[in-house]
């Protein structure tokens, strides 16, 4: 594309521990080297997978120094964190970040007085502090030993990763020796942005202000760490999250730089590595699932065969499904964050009903305004009975081409002997026909051009002619087809009647389809053309009768027009036609002796001469409307609001499965597009609600800024819960945290609102900055993920007395 250029070499690196993938490291790590001798700064680029030894070699080459005489420090935030001495470790393992500083020290006498010594631990090197830590903050909350590690866990907590477990105590911008100042409150520490990590900071702040998780990770949870679970992260994710939570709750208002935690994400979830913006909800889903697997109390998961209800009551079958789920999945996350919903599938053919009860971690609710999509399509008459007409229809956003075709059928009053052929037009050609009826509408872009041709119902059995226009008309493209002639306008499609196979038949069909474009004429149809079969030319056009009386805009053709049409001779009325190939790269004139092959579809170039331009008004073929034009309608939509309950009802509404999500019916023994209905059966103590503001497909990326009116207090979901055996369990919830997204796609910014556990007051967590905010300010159109906590039901004081839901509890 760029006709060559200098080579840009990039390293191919292996990313991830569990799911290993090779990726091209497009942006190498950029490090700022500060020379302690004169405070000069130099910048180096090096792979994050490079070893510390490679870093020393590169720094020595730049500064012309000997490796044995220098020391390099991790100088994040202009503070010495750790000395980079384990030469076979990578920069990624030391959690070095993009654009951060490292400190180069060169002793004057060439000697070194290392603050750390190297000790052999099996086949690994570990950094051991010379002075014991005096902090009571320890791994997994266990009691501290003299070296600062947990009694329940040695420094080799995660086998094969002693380096990482030690380094986390020295990282994250957190001083183990620091203490909270008087008046500081726990939970008010911000998280430093490490380069587009606001999505991670927002999600973490919501989780660390979740009361059950806060209480759990401040205790000794070491006995529940599951290092053998093949679906987990060997307990490392749970330990990293627990350490970060304790630091956030014990550092007063000092911001934390979550470098160690980000390093774990890069290892176990490579999709979140690098410095691009990501989705806070996707990170939350990974964290909740990862924490569950790392803390799963079930060490050996039993095999349990899935069974059908077989007519049993829902209560009995739901209880059995939940017990089977708990037999394999038992953790603090399951205890407080997982609920259960009922899924009902109905076969549209045999009416077979299948009921399952499945667990859920969060509810992803659609915004009702995003259910439908408005589309504008231009409809052309293949028989020349009317002018092109745009139609605007409303279809399901998750629908398919068939839904669009049916909506157009109704809109344009399609006759029983007609059918529509949909096509996408690009650069004045038909880019493709939309004949696969079950392809999703998401394949069509809003700024695309879609047309529909009214053709006979049996058009698949007839010879189809696709007419492409060539000339110098207004609005032509830059594509040259022949000399200075350019393509223009929208292609036309018509069909030859049965038996038609000559060049004269093509001329007749094109005269007919262009008839509505005749200047100063209306309400007509070419019903008969006198042809001379000897020379294959059309010798005259005889218009006998009007055919479309419903088009009142057309006027009757006068006698002068009729005489003018009948005076056309073969030479004067014939169009200049050329047969072209599929890509339009070659063309050949259609001669009088041209014979159409059986079952052949033709692409024909119609060369518009000055005579055709005088006779026909080509402006009707130009300026096709786009599928959807962004304008006032969008502004109006953004001003509208919906309630959280309407979002929930849209989620629970019965709907057909998509064509790519067919259900195998055990009775029909076929894949069917069944209808699916979800119902809430069991609600968790912590209810996470995800508002689906983002939609992604092959062509369309969109964000809805619709304001969702969600309750802060007393969210009552009783009427949506179908289980009648819930007893005294409350279905009333209180809001305690929100993950917000501001801006559009491909960027934007995340922040969080959270209510401090120890006081009834909201705070805004915007990366490092934390500030109080009033309850009236937390309801915005930026709300993306909502966190609710179940309200405890006070026992009834007397039979029939009211119950009083008050303080949230689990």
């Amino acid at each position: 594309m760029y006709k060559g250029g200098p080579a840009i070499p990039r390293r191919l690196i292996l990313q991830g521990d569990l799911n290993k993938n090779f990726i091209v490291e497009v942006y190498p790590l950029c490090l700022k080297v500060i020379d302690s001798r004169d405070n000069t700064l130099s910048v180096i680029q090096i792979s994050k997978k490079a070893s510390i030894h490679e870093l020393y070699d590169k720094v020595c080459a730049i500064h012309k120094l000997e490796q044995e005489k220098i020391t390099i420090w991790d100088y994040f935030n202009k503070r010495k964190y750790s000395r980079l001495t384990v030469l076979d470790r990578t920069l990624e393992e030391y959690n070095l970040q993009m654009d951060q500083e490292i400190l180069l020290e060169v002793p004057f006498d060439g000697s070194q007085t290392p603050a750390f010594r190297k000790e052999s631990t099996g086949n690994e090197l570990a950094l051991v502090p010379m002075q014991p830590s005096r902090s009571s903050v320890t791994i997994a909350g266990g009691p501290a030993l003299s070296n600062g590690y947990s009694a329940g866990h040695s420094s080799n907590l995660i086998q094969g990763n002693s380096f990482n477990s030690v380094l986390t105590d020295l990282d994250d911008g957190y001083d183990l020796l620091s203490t909270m100042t008087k008046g500081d409150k726990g939970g008010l520490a911000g998280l430093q942005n490490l380069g587009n990590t606001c999505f991670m900071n927002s999600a973490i702040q919501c989780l660390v202000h979740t009361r059950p998780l806060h209480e759990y990770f401040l205790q000794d949870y070491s006995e529940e760490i599951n290092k053998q679970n093949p679906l987990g992260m060997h307990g490392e994710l749970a330990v990293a999250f627990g350490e970060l939570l304790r630091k956030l709750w014990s550092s007063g208002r000092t911001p934390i730089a979550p470098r160690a935690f980000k390093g774990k994400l890069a290892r176990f979830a490579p999709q979140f590595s690098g410095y691009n913006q990501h989705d806070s909800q996707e990170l939350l889903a990974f964290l909740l699932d990862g924490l569950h697997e790392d803390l799963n109390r079930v060490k050996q998961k039993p095999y349990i065969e899935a069974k059908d209800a077989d007519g049993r009551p829902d209560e009995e079958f739901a209880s059995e499904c939940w017990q089977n789920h708990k037999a394999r999945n038992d953790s603090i996350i399951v205890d407080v964050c997982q609920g259960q919903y009922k899924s009902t599938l109905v076969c549209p053919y045999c009416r077979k009903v299948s009921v399952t009860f499945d667990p859920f971690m969060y509810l992803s609710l659609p915004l009702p305004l995003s259910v439908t999509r408005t589309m504008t399509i231009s409809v052309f008459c293949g028989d020349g009975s009317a002018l092109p007409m745009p139609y605007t229809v409303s279809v399901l956003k998750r629908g398919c081409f068939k839904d669009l075709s049916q909506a157009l059928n109704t809109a344009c009053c399609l006759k029983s002997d007609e059918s529509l052929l949909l096509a996408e037009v690009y650069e004045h050609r038909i880019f493709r026909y939309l004949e696969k009826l079950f392809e999703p509408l998401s394949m069509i872009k809003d700024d695309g051009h879609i047309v529909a041709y009214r053709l006979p119902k049996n058009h698949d059995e007839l010879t189809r002619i696709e007419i492409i226009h060539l000339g110098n008309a207004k609005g032509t493209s830059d594509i040259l087809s022949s000399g200075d002639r350019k393509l223009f306008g929208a292609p036309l499609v018509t069909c030859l009647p049965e038996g038609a196979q000559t060049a004269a038949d093509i001329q007749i069909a094109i005269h007919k389809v262009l008839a509505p474009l005749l200047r100063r004429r209306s309400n007509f149809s070419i019903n008969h053309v006198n042809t001379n079969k000897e020379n294959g030319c059309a010798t005259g056009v005889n218009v006998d009768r009007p055919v479309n009386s419903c088009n009142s805009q057309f006027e009757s053709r006068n006698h002068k027009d009729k005489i003018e049409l009948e005076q056309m001779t073969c030479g004067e009325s014939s169009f200049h036609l050329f047969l072209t190939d599929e890509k339009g790269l070659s063309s050949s004139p259609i001669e009088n002796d041209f014979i159409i092959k059986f079952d052949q579809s033709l692409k024909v170039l119609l060369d518009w001469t000055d005579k055709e331009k005088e006779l026909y008004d080509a402006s009707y073929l130009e300026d096709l409307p786009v599928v959807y034009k962004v304008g006032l309608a969008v502004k109006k939509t953004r001003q509208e609001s919906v309630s959280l309950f309407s979002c929930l009802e849209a989620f629970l509404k019965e709907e057909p499965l998509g064509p790519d999500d067919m259900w195998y019916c055990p009775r029909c023994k076929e894949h069917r597009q069944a209808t699916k209905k979800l119902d809430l059966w069991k609600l968790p103590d912590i209810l996470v609600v995800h508002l689906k503001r983002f939609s992604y497909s092959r062509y369309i990326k969109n964000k809805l800024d619709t304001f969702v009116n969600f309750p802060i207090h007393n969210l009552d979901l009783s009427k949506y819960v179908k289980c009648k055996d819930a007893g005294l369990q409350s279905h009333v919830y209180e809001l305690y945290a929100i993950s917000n997204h501001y801006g559009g796609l491909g960027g934007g910014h995340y922040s969080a609102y959270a209510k401090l556990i120890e006081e009834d007051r909201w705070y805004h967590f915007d990366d490092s900055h934390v500030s109080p905010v009033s309850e009236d300010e937390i309801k915005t159109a930026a709300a993306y993920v909502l966190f609710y906590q179940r309200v405890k039901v006070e026992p009834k004081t007397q039979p029939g007395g009211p119950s009083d839901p008050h303080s949230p509890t689990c």
Side-chain angles (χ1 to χ4, degrees):
M1 179 183 293
Y2 297 102
K3 310 299 182 186
I8 307 176
R10 287 295 182 262
R11 190 167 176 173
L12 189 69
I13 62 176
L14 186 62
Q15 191 73 24
D17 275 17
L18 300 180
N19 300 315
K20 297 181 182 295
N21 294 308
F22 281 103
I23 63 171
V24 176
E25 190 178 27
V26 179
Y27 299 103
L29 197 60
C30 183
L31 297 175
K32 300 174 182 178
V33 184
I34 298 179
D35 192 332
S36 63
R37 295 172 294 180
D38 54 9
N39 285 329
T40 56
L41 185 144
S42 59
V43 179
I44 62 171
Q45 285 191 334
I46 187 170
S47 171
K48 63 183 179 182
K49 291 293 186 179
S51 66
I52 298 299
H53 188 279
E54 292 177 73
L55 175 64
Y56 271 82
D57 287 343
K58 197 154 190 172
V59 172
C60 288
I62 294 174
H63 292 271
K64 297 180 175 56
L65 296 169
E66 297 180 19
Q67 181 175 326
E68 294 76 13
K69 295 182 178 181
I70 69 170
T71 303
I72 299 178
W73 288 84
D74 175 4
Y75 201 51
F76 185 75
N77 283 347
K78 294 189 180 298
R79 175 185 170 192
K80 290 183 178 180
Y81 282 103
S82 60
R83 185 171 161 185
L84 308 182
T85 56
V86 186
L87 300 182
D88 60 342
R89 294 288 177 176
T90 66
L91 276 63
E92 183 181 44
E93 289 175 304
Y94 267 102
N95 297 317
L96 297 185
Q97 303 297 307
M98 179 71 76
D99 295 327
Q100 84 154 75
E101 296 172 336
I102 57 176
L103 182 65
L104 169 64
E105 285 188 344
V106 183
F108 291 106
D109 57 357
S111 63
Q112 293 188 12
T113 55
F116 297 89
R117 69 174 184 267
K118 295 182 183 179
E119 280 197 3
S120 175
T121 309
N123 294 325
E124 299 189 348
L125 294 175
L127 293 180
V128 181
M130 296 296 290
Q131 296 295 328
S133 169
R134 296 191 297 271
S135 173
S136 61
V137 180
T138 57
I139 294 176
L145 294 179
S146 60
N147 65 351
Y149 299 125
S150 168
H153 280 66
S154 69
S155 63
N156 218 0
L157 168 70
I158 309 301
Q159 293 180 359
N161 257 316
S162 60
F163 171 81
N164 285 338
S165 63
V166 176
L167 186 60
T168 52
D169 280 343
L170 308 171
D171 202 3
D172 287 349
Y174 177 70
D175 188 356
L176 291 175
L177 304 181
S178 67
T179 57
M180 294 175 60
T181 61
K182 186 176 181 180
D184 279 347
K185 298 177 181 177
L188 290 180
L191 287 165
Q192 187 172 337
N193 194 315
L194 303 177
N196 278 331
T197 55
C198 57
F199 76 98
M200 180 181 76
N201 296 345
S202 173
I204 290 174
Q205 291 289 8
C206 291
L207 288 181
V208 300
H209 285 84
T210 299
R211 183 190 293 268
L213 298 184
H214 164 259
E215 295 173 350
Y216 178 85
F217 283 102
L218 287 184
Q219 298 174 358
D220 183 2
Y221 58 95
S222 58
E223 294 299 323
E224 294 196 343
I225 294 178
N226 190 336
K227 293 182 286 186
Q228 287 76 40
N229 188 354
L231 300 179
M233 267 94 8
H234 314 298
E236 291 189 52
L237 184 68
V239 171
F241 178 80
E243 289 178 347
L244 182 57
L245 181 144
R246 288 193 300 278
K247 291 171 185 176
L248 286 170
W249 278 92
S250 60
S251 65
R253 292 180 178 268
T254 304
I256 302 296
R259 292 196 299 165
F261 186 80
K262 185 177 184 295
K264 298 295 183 185
L265 283 182
R267 289 178 51 212
F268 297 118
Q271 66 269 29
F272 299 117
S273 63
Y275 300 93
N276 294 325
Q277 185 69 275
H278 296 281
D279 191 306
S280 68
Q281 186 273 332
E282 292 179 0
L283 177 66
L284 278 166
F286 168 78
L287 278 180
L288 290 174
D289 187 62
L291 290 174
H292 156 65
E293 297 294 354
D294 271 4
L295 299 170
N296 198 345
R297 304 177 185 112
V298 179
K299 308 302 180 182
Q300 296 292 331
K301 295 187 177 184
Y303 172 75
I304 300 176
E305 184 178 356
K307 297 180 180 179
D308 199 5
D310 292 330
R312 287 180 289 170
D314 284 347
E315 287 75 11
E316 177 185 338
F317 186 48
S319 177
E320 178 184 302
C321 291
W322 183 254
Q323 293 305 318
N324 291 343
H325 174 67
K326 288 277 288 184
R328 294 173 54 86
N329 303 276
D330 185 16
S331 69
I332 179 63
I333 304 299
V334 174
D335 293 343
V336 302
C337 296
Q338 284 197 357
Q340 188 182 32
Y341 59 70
K342 174 185 177 182
S343 176
T344 305
L345 289 169
V346 180
C347 177
Y349 293 89
C350 69
R351 310 310 296 176
K352 162 71 176 176
V353 178
S354 174
V355 176
T356 58
F357 290 88
D358 303 303
F360 68 85
M361 194 89 74
Y362 49 86
L363 296 178
S364 288
L365 306 185
L367 274 61
L369 292 179
S370 65
V371 172
T372 59
R373 181 183 179 189
T374 300
M375 307 180 73
T376 299
I377 314 296
S378 297
V379 178
F380 293 82
C381 294
D383 60 358
S385 60
L387 285 169
M389 183 70 66
Y391 289 88
T392 300
V393 295
S394 182
V395 292
L396 287 174
K397 204 167 194 177
R398 295 174 60 189
C400 54
F401 293 166
K402 182 180 179 181
D403 299 322
L404 176 60
S405 181
Q406 290 176 344
L408 282 173
N409 287 355
T410 303
C412 65
C413 303
L414 202 70
K415 299 177 183 177
S416 58
D417 59 346
E418 290 180 314
S419 65
L420 288 179
L421 176 63
L422 298 176
E424 182 176 356
V425 174
Y426 178 72
E427 293 290 351
H428 311 291
R429 297 179 185 274
I430 292 180
F431 175 68
R432 58 169 176 158
Y433 289 101
L434 310 184
E435 295 181 292
K436 296 181 179 179
L437 296 181
F438 288 102
E439 282 207 13
L441 288 174
S442 58
M443 300 286 286
I444 300 175
K445 296 189 290 185
D446 280 349
D447 58 354
H449 300 276
I450 305 298
V451 298
Y453 300 101
R454 298 178 71 149
L455 300 175
K457 201 158 195 173
N458 64 337
H459 65 85
D460 288 335
E461 305 170 6
L462 303 176
T463 300
R464 181 192 299 171
I465 299 179
E466 182 181 313
I467 306 162
I468 307 169
H469 309 287
L470 188 66
N472 291 322
K474 177 185 176 183
T476 57
S477 72
D478 292 332
I479 300 177
L480 297 179
S481 297
S482 177
D484 293 332
R485 315 291 282 170
K486 301 176 182 180
L487 300 184
F488 75 96
L492 296 174
V493 174
T494 187
C495 293
L496 294 180
E498 294 181 6
Q501 58 181 3
T502 66
D505 296 321
I506 297 175
Q507 289 278 353
I508 294 168
I510 294 178
H511 273 291
K512 188 174 181 180
V513 77
L514 287 177
L517 276 58
L518 282 167
R519 298 182 186 274
R520 304 185 308 277
R521 291 167 178 79
S522 53
N523 205 10
F524 52 81
S525 177
I526 299 177
N527 295 299
H528 176 70
V529 179
N530 297 322
T531 59
N532 184 344
K533 292 294 182 180
E534 293 181 1
N535 57 17
C537 294
T539 60
V541 182
N542 183 18
V543 180
D544 293 330
R545 60 182 177 85
V547 299
N548 203 346
S549 58
C550 67
N551 283 331
S552 59
Q553 60 177 323
F554 294 152
E555 299 176 357
S556 298
R557 188 174 57 82
N558 57 34
H559 183 63
K560 181 180 177 180
D561 295 334
K562 182 175 180 179
I563 294 175
E564 185 178 334
L565 283 172
E566 290 178 343
Q567 285 176 346
M568 290 181 181
T569 63
C570 176
E572 294 172 337
S573 65
S574 296
F575 295 112
H576 295 278
L577 305 178
F578 301 86
L579 195 65
T580 184
D581 60 5
E582 193 70 26
K583 296 183 178 180
L585 300 178
S586 62
S587 61
S588 59
I590 298 179
E591 305 291 350
N592 293 339
D593 59 351
F594 178 78
I595 300 297
I596 302 172
K597 298 178 182 178
F598 176 73
D599 197 26
Q600 182 182 12
S601 294
L602 305 178
K603 284 183 177 289
V604 175
L605 279 174
L606 169 56
D607 192 355
W608 286 66
T609 65
D610 292 339
K611 185 176 183 62
E612 276 83 38
K613 293 176 187 176
E614 292 177 5
L615 191 60
Y616 296 94
D617 186 355
S619 64
Y620 289 104
L621 301 175
E622 300 184 70
D623 300 326
L624 283 179
V626 296
V627 171
Y628 182 73
K629 186 174 183 180
V630 178
L632 295 178
V634 172
K635 294 181 180 179
K636 181 180 178 182
T637 299
R638 290 182 177 179
Q639 293 171 357
E640 295 176 356
S641 65
V642 297
S643 71
L644 183 65
F645 295 104
S646 61
C647 297
L648 182 59
E649 288 164 2
F651 173 73
L652 300 176
K653 183 180 178 181
E654 183 179 16
E655 60 180 2
L657 295 176
D660 297 329
D661 192 23
M662 306 282 269
W663 172 62
Y664 183 79
C665 177
R667 183 178 295 171
C668 297
K669 307 298 183 184
E670 296 282 347
H671 284 91
R672 303 296 192 190
Q673 195 171 0
T675 58
K676 184 175 183 178
K677 176 72 170 69
L678 290 177
D679 291 299
L680 299 180
W681 188 262
K682 171 185 170 66
L683 293 180
D685 293 329
I686 298 298
L687 180 65
V688 181
V689 179
H690 164 225
L691 302 176
K692 296 173 71 173
R693 295 193 178 276
F694 301 101
S695 61
Y696 301 93
S697 67
R698 182 176 176 183
Y699 292 116
I700 297 176
K701 296 181 180 180
N702 187 35
K703 182 200 173 185
L704 288 174
D705 289 326
T706 307
F707 175 76
V708 178
N709 189 8
F710 49 88
I712 298 176
H713 305 286
N714 298 322
L715 170 64
D716 191 353
L717 300 178
S718 302
K719 71 174 184 177
Y720 298 102
V721 179
K722 297 301 179 181
C723 178
K724 304 305 179 185
D725 295 340
L728 295 177
Q729 194 174 43
S730 169
H731 298 137
V732 179
Y733 288 83
E734 292 276 323
L735 186 73
Y736 70 89
I738 307 171
S739 175
N740 301 301
H741 179 268
Y742 303 91
L745 292 169
H749 180 65
Y750 287 92
S751 72
Y753 292 130
K755 182 186 287 188
L756 205 61
I757 293 176
E758 301 302 328
E759 59 178 283
D760 188 18
R761 188 172 185 182
W762 287 87
Y763 288 87
H764 185 204
F765 294 85
D766 188 1
D767 289 333
S768 298
H769 183 68
V770 180
S771 58
V773 63
S774 68
E775 189 172 273
D776 296 335
E777 296 177 271
I778 67 173
K779 278 192 179 184
T780 69
Y784 183 43
V785 185
L786 308 174
F787 291 76
Y788 284 94
Q789 186 166 346
R790 192 195 302 275
V791 175
K792 182 178 70 173
V793 177
E794 297 293 340
K796 297 179 180 179
T797 55
Q798 51 182 302
S803 60
D804 181 28
H806 280 297
S807 61
T809 184
C810 292

